[in-house]
Amino acid sequence: MICMTSSSQIRQPTRRPRVGRSAFLTCTPLYWGLARSTALLDIDLVQDTPDRLTGRLLSGDLDVSSISLVEYLRHSDDLVMLPDIAVGSDGPIQSCAIVTKVPLSALDCRTVALATTSPTSAQMSRLLLEQHYGVTPRYVTRPPDLEVMLDSADAAVVTGDAALAATMNRPVSPGVRAYDLGELWRRWSGLPFVLAVWAVRKETAARQPDIVGMVHRSLLAARGLARSESRELADRVAFWEPFTAPMLQDFFTRALAFSLGKRERLGLSEFARRSGYVTAALPS
Amino acid sequence: MICMTSSSQIRQPTRRPRVGRSAFLTCTPLYWGLARSTALLDIDLVQDTPDRLTGRLLSGDLDVSSISLVEYLRHSDDLVMLPDIAVGSDGPIQSCAIVTKVPLSALDCRTVALATTSPTSAQMSRLLLEQHYGVTPRYVTRPPDLEVMLDSADAAVVTGDAALAATMNRPVSPGVRAYDLGELWRRWSGLPFVLAVWAVRKETAARQPDIVGMVHRSLLAARGLARSESRELADRVAFWEPFTAPMLQDFFTRALAFSLGKRERLGLSEFARRSGYVTAALPS
């Protein structure tokens, strides 16, 4: 028979925080770090598409999640962003691109297909085309399949793995060029491109600051581990993806930035201002 | 503009193997090891209840999965088990128990509630009661809630976290005793209790031996890491579960065995034989 232990050994269990992560390669370094540090034992990591992560965060199904910057700006009344961490670039980002059959300045009244999966890249493209290149295209929304998008449009905005594949690997048809959104934005504004932030409902941040702090510390530690082990990370990911290890290491360490420092916050605010978002919740 | 790289850099991506894991604490050491070794970058780990993992494995939704031993025996025509790894115990297992209001030998014609979540513990209980204690109870199947089960039955077979909670923490009502299935089986047969094995469809094993071998090596390495880091593992899990770190370390390292050596294979075969399973697929 099993000996009954005394009830003094009973501890009330705490629910692990549910944390959303995008299935895209942009999130892979943090996933690597969370695994290596075994922070995965302390969080319930949920993988989903970027657009669905926002809905699950707002509904309370997730406690913390990476979400597209535009989604954050749309819901900034209810959300607060974690400090010091984001996904973006200070220059070329490689994973967000306008792929076009004509020069960007010739897209006036032409059709631009926007992928459904990244509202921030879509909004960044609209800003660039309308305010920087002075053109007003007709926008259509399409699933993120570059070939299909270009069949019925003069240009296509693609992100994530689809954009990486389009820009890194495939010589798109003759005359078709890919423009890096991070590079175009930096040339125009002089500032970094913030693609996604880690957000939490204000109500959760107020009610469970210790849990939110734990997730935040885990993410920062994961970022550090991924940086110091970027070569091994790239080697391992290259086995499964259509990119070489050097391409991936370059993407993870030189293109992508996971910081949210003073320059990134300026870039974020400038993007929000030019987009017309009125928000008091921006970090300064 | 992003430079187009040559098509010689294109590598055909391989799909990561989909591997099932039970959400129960019995699987936590291997999860720890898979995270620590970053094998999680190479597999698509899917968490589900034990009964659903079997269906997903058989349907091809999973490539490899831990499944209940009885489920393996039922489907041994289509499945093969990975060598050298299993979940079980050579003596008390702590997480599989008969909780009873009367002595086991007094359960003839009484009602025994079987939890829906572990067919192996249910079958082991039937073997013990009918062949060892010589009683023939009336069996009913119930969701794994011990209190509800005992409301309408004289005894209840519970497994997993529910059994651990019942046997380790809570002094069940006066006169109610918990019997450890691993301990009863060892006393009766002299052999280890195998609760779950890691299985793969024969067709997958034949078609993708390299992938299956990679998952197998990852599991063996994960087991080794969990063993050498059992104290840290127990400390971390104790924060979230209603058990103390010493109780968890004892459970992970002394009660549970993750081996499938000669003695475990004998225990498995003896269980299958006494249960009336005719199978040519048993390891010897």
Side-chain angles (χ1 to χ4, degrees):
Chain A
M1 197 191 80
I2 294 169
C3 287
M4 300 294 176
T5 53
S6 84
S7 61
S8 69
Q9 288 184 282
I10 299 179
R11 261 192 74 255
Q12 190 55 38
T14 315
R15 189 177 63 84
R16 286 175 178 81
R18 285 173 66 80
V19 177
R21 76 147 176 140
S22 137
F24 284 172
L25 276 173
T26 41
C27 255
T28 300
L30 293 180
Y31 183 52
W32 167 278
L34 291 173
R36 277 285 288 160
S37 65
T38 62
L40 289 181
L41 272 277
D42 296 325
I43 62 180
D44 192 358
L45 198 66
V46 177
Q47 179 174 310
D48 213 332
T49 55
D51 46 327
R52 284 207 301 222
L53 288 174
T54 307
R56 295 178 74 168
L57 178 66
L58 290 167
S59 75
D61 180 41
L62 298 173
D63 299 303
V64 180
S65 184
S66 75
I67 66 171
S68 190
L69 174 59
V70 158
E71 294 285 3
Y72 175 81
L73 295 170
R74 278 181 194 150
H75 302 284
S76 62
D77 283 351
D78 300 318
L79 298 175
V80 59
M81 63 178 83
L82 295 187
D84 306 327
I85 191 157
V87 181
S89 71
D90 198 351
I93 193 166
Q94 296 185 11
S95 58
C96 305
I98 307 180
V99 182
T100 180
K101 299 173 184 171
V102 303
L104 296 180
S105 56
L107 278 172
D108 203 34
C109 303
R110 304 277 194 130
T111 304
V112 173
L114 305 173
T116 46
T117 40
S118 175
T120 303
S121 290
Q123 173 59 19
M124 178 61 89
S125 301
R126 296 177 76 125
L127 279 188
L128 285 161
L129 292 173
E130 294 167 25
Q131 297 183 19
H132 186 49
Y133 290 93
V135 297
T136 307
R138 189 174 72 84
Y139 300 102
V140 293
T141 304
R142 293 281 178 271
D145 182 318
L146 182 60
E147 275 185 58
V148 175
M149 291 166 93
L150 285 181
D151 270 353
S152 60
D154 301 292
V157 176
V158 284
T159 61
D161 302 5
L164 273 171
T167 55
M168 292 171 108
N169 271 342
R170 282 174 221 150
V172 190
S173 341
V176 175
R177 291 174 63 178
Y179 290 87
D180 186 300
L181 286 177
E183 187 173 2
L184 294 180
W185 169 253
R186 224 258 300 261
R187 217 181 283 159
W188 183 32
S189 69
L191 291 167
F193 176 23
V194 175
L195 179 65
V197 296
W198 289 80
V200 56
R201 287 187 311 287
K202 284 179 180 169
E203 172 258 330
T204 306
R207 191 171 37 83
Q208 301 196 292
D210 50 339
I211 291 288
V212 174
M214 184 274 276
V215 172
H216 186 223
R217 286 190 302 278
S218 296
L219 290 170
L220 297 181
R223 177 179 67 188
L225 265 175
R227 199 182 282 146
S228 64
E229 300 175 338
S230 65
R231 183 153 190 175
E232 193 187 349
L233 166 61
D235 280 346
R236 291 280 291 280
V237 175
F239 185 82
W240 302 103
E241 304 290 340
F243 313 111
T244 65
M247 290 160 82
L248 286 167
Q249 194 179 4
D250 187 62
F251 175 57
F252 290 147
T253 58
R254 204 183 53 82
L256 286 183
F258 295 96
S259 46
L260 187 57
K262 190 167 173 53
R263 278 181 54 73
E264 286 79 18
R265 295 198 300 271
L266 281 172
L268 189 161
S269 297
E270 190 58 22
F271 171 84
R273 194 186 63 75
R274 294 188 192 189
S275 301
Y277 285 102
V278 179
T279 171
L282 294 181
S284 58
Chain B
M1 197 193 79
I2 293 170
C3 289
M4 301 295 177
T5 53
S6 84
S7 60
S8 69
Q9 287 184 283
I10 299 179
R11 261 194 74 255
Q12 191 55 40
T14 314
R15 188 177 64 83
R16 285 174 178 81
R18 286 172 65 78
V19 177
R21 78 150 176 136
S22 139
F24 285 172
L25 276 174
T26 41
C27 254
T28 301
L30 293 179
Y31 184 53
W32 167 278
L34 290 172
R36 278 284 288 160
S37 65
T38 63
L40 290 181
L41 272 278
D42 296 325
I43 61 180
D44 192 357
L45 198 66
V46 177
Q47 180 174 309
D48 212 332
T49 54
D51 46 327
R52 285 206 300 223
L53 289 174
T54 307
R56 296 177 73 167
L57 178 66
L58 290 167
S59 75
D61 180 41
L62 297 174
D63 299 304
V64 180
S65 184
S66 75
I67 66 171
S68 190
L69 174 59
V70 157
E71 294 285 3
Y72 175 81
L73 294 171
R74 278 181 194 150
H75 302 284
S76 62
D77 282 352
D78 301 318
L79 299 174
V80 59
M81 64 177 82
L82 295 187
D84 306 327
I85 192 157
V87 181
S89 70
D90 198 350
I93 193 166
Q94 296 185 10
S95 59
C96 304
I98 307 180
V99 182
T100 180
K101 300 173 185 171
V102 300
L104 296 179
S105 55
L107 278 172
D108 202 36
C109 303
R110 305 276 195 128
T111 304
V112 172
L114 306 173
T116 46
T117 40
S118 175
T120 303
S121 290
Q123 173 59 19
M124 178 61 90
S125 301
R126 297 177 75 127
L127 279 189
L128 284 161
L129 292 173
E130 294 167 24
Q131 296 183 19
H132 186 47
Y133 290 94
V135 297
T136 306
R138 190 174 71 86
Y139 300 103
V140 293
T141 304
R142 293 281 178 272
D145 182 318
L146 182 60
E147 274 184 58
V148 175
M149 291 167 93
L150 284 181
D151 271 353
S152 60
D154 301 291
V157 175
V158 284
T159 61
D161 301 6
L164 273 171
T167 55
M168 291 171 108
N169 271 342
R170 281 174 222 151
V172 190
S173 342
V176 175
R177 290 173 64 177
Y179 291 87
D180 186 301
L181 287 177
E183 188 174 1
L184 294 180
W185 168 252
R186 224 256 301 258
R187 215 180 286 160
W188 183 33
S189 69
L191 291 167
F193 176 23
V194 175
L195 179 64
V197 296
W198 290 81
V200 55
R201 287 188 310 288
K202 284 179 180 169
E203 173 259 330
T204 307
R207 192 170 36 83
Q208 300 196 292
D210 50 338
I211 291 289
V212 174
M214 184 274 276
V215 172
H216 186 223
R217 284 190 302 278
S218 297
L219 290 170
L220 296 181
R223 177 179 66 188
L225 266 175
R227 199 182 282 147
S228 64
E229 300 174 340
S230 65
R231 184 154 189 173
E232 194 187 348
L233 167 61
D235 281 346
R236 291 280 290 281
V237 174
F239 186 81
W240 302 102
E241 304 291 341
F243 312 111
T244 65
M247 289 159 82
L248 286 167
Q249 194 178 4
D250 187 63
F251 175 56
F252 290 148
T253 59
R254 204 184 53 82
L256 286 183
F258 294 96
S259 47
L260 188 57
K262 190 169 173 52
R263 276 181 55 73
E264 287 79 18
R265 295 197 301 273
L266 280 173
L268 189 162
S269 298
E270 190 58 22
F271 171 83
R273 193 186 64 75
R274 294 189 193 187
S275 301
Y277 285 102
V278 179
T279 171
L282 294 181
S284 57

